[in-house]
Amino acid sequence: MTTPATPRGTRLAHIGIAVESLQGILPFYQELLGLPEVPLDDADGARIVGLAAGEPLVELLEPAVADSPIGKFLAKRGPGIHHLCFHVDDLDGTLARCRAAGIRLIDETPRLGAEGKRIAFLHPSATAGVLIELMEY
Ligand code: ZN
């Protein structure tokens, strides 16, 4: 477990948006809004493009395979905001607090996300309908 020397506090890290086609929507974000691309790895069966919107990113998520979380989300609800991700100082501690408070966890233990950091998802049933991702700094 790592605790940063100076806690930074919980901050918005990125907004994940499910899209049918990266190619179709990228010109809007890159050329019309002027958001620069940040290289990210693909993850969870999705092709991901990160765009810097100040400190937080907009992450466009296109399903690489239909049977992926993003593919299923698109089939059920169509394109739109898929999740919010918050940076937290202490991911293990935050997960433990959520678990103790009865928040349903999707990831019982952290795993590696698209930015190469440890992440864990909380179930939207416990968070006012919003899928929440927690990411270690
Ligand atoms: Zn995310």
Side-chain angles (χ1 to χ4, degrees):
M1 193 184 308
T2 55
T3 302
T6 307
R8 299 172 67 178
T10 301
R11 298 186 191 185
L12 184 64
H14 63 258
I15 299 169
I17 301 176
V19 305
E20 305 272 6
S21 159
L22 288 171
Q23 207 176 8
I25 196 66
L26 264 176
F28 167 73
Y29 285 100
Q30 289 188 302
E31 293 161 31
L32 298 180
L33 296 188
L35 302 184
E37 185 171 346
V38 175
L40 294 179
D41 292 332
D42 293 344
D44 290 337
R47 283 184 282 272
I48 303 176
V49 172
L51 301 158
E55 192 178 338
L57 303 181
V58 169
E59 289 190 6
L60 303 177
L61 314 163
E62 177 194 72
V65 290
D67 187 29
S68 60
I70 294 299
K72 290 176 189 166
F73 178 91
L74 277 172
K76 192 175 168 188
R77 301 173 68 167
I81 293 178
H82 177 260
H83 68 274
L84 299 184
C85 177
F86 293 101
H87 275 302
V88 294
D89 287 305
D90 175 8
L91 179 57
D92 298 291
T94 305
L95 272 185
R97 283 197 303 279
C98 288
R99 186 183 292 111
I103 304 288
R104 186 173 160 199
L105 311 181
I106 292 177
D107 296 302
E108 290 289 334
T109 54
R111 57 193 174 88
L112 277 188
E115 296 179 38
K117 309 270 180 65
R118 295 168 72 231
I119 63 154
F121 279 90
L122 309 179
H123 197 276
S125 63
T127 56
V130 179
L131 178 61
I132 300 286
E133 177 182 8
L134 303 174
M135 178 165 58
E136 207 158 62
Y137 279 106

